Amino acid sequence: MSLDCLFCKIVNREIPSEFLYEDDTYVVFKDIKPAAPVHLLLVPKKHIRCINDLTEEDRDILSGLFMVAKEMAKEQGVNESGYKLLFNVEKGGGQEIFHLHLHLIGGWKKN
Ligand code: 5GP
Ligand code: ZN
């Protein structure tokens, strides 16, 4: 845990947030500024700064994150219509919160 990390504070419930999913390893909550009708943040509880900081011991956390993504997409009803999974990496890649998280974005209107 990093003391001045916003997502650590959310994970530790120091900042109240509604979790759509929680287990021992992950939490999922809605993005405060959604870029689409469905915009979730899938967050490992462990403080990992970003993709560049992954270590061998994070292998299971990362692969499990995609299983959570699959389940959340289904729960949100976007699994068939389609969605995007996105990591922003470092400032130049659009990362603003330096606690690893996967964006799940979808729910656009069909044409
Ligand atoms: P990044 O740019 O780091 O990949 O994504 C950070 C995301 O966190 C942004 O989409 C931003 O809207 C969201 N965010 C920032 N602060 C908060 C907050 O306090 N609560 C929630 N739910 N989302 C936040
Ligand atoms: Zn953190």
Side-chain angles (χ1 to χ4, degrees):
M1 148 151 197
S2 175
L3 284 176
D4 55 358
C5 169
L6 177 67
F7 282 4
C8 280
K9 287 182 180 152
I10 290 177
V11 163
N12 293 316
R13 298 180 184 274
E14 286 167 45
I15 296 174
S17 298
E18 190 191 335
F19 294 155
L20 279 65
Y21 176 81
E22 181 178 18
D23 64 18
D24 289 347
T25 313
Y26 310 99
V27 295
V28 176
F29 50 88
K30 288 184 183 167
D31 196 294
I32 205 166
K33 270 200 236 161
V38 173
H39 187 167
L40 305 185
L41 300 173
L42 285 53
V43 183
K45 288 184 171 177
K46 178 179 175 187
H47 181 85
I48 302 166
R49 188 183 156 277
C50 83
I51 287 282
N52 284 337
D53 297 86
L54 285 169
T55 65
E56 274 303 319
E57 72 172 25
D58 300 324
R59 214 174 254 283
D60 290 349
I61 292 178
L62 200 66
S63 57
L65 192 57
F66 290 105
M67 300 305 285
V68 175
K70 182 188 115 170
E71 293 304 324
M72 293 310 301
K74 197 169 174 190
E75 196 182 289
Q76 294 288 311
V78 298
N79 57 319
E80 287 184 0
S81 58
Y83 55 98
K84 294 180 195 294
L85 295 175
L86 174 75
F87 289 105
N88 292 325
V89 185
E90 302 288 2
K91 282 206 171 123
Q95 188 171 4
E96 290 174 2
I97 308 285
F98 286 86
H99 178 131
L100 189 82
H101 54 280
L102 181 60
H103 295 255
L104 190 164
I105 307 166
W108 302 278
K109 282 206 180 100
K110 290 173 202 158
N111 288 323

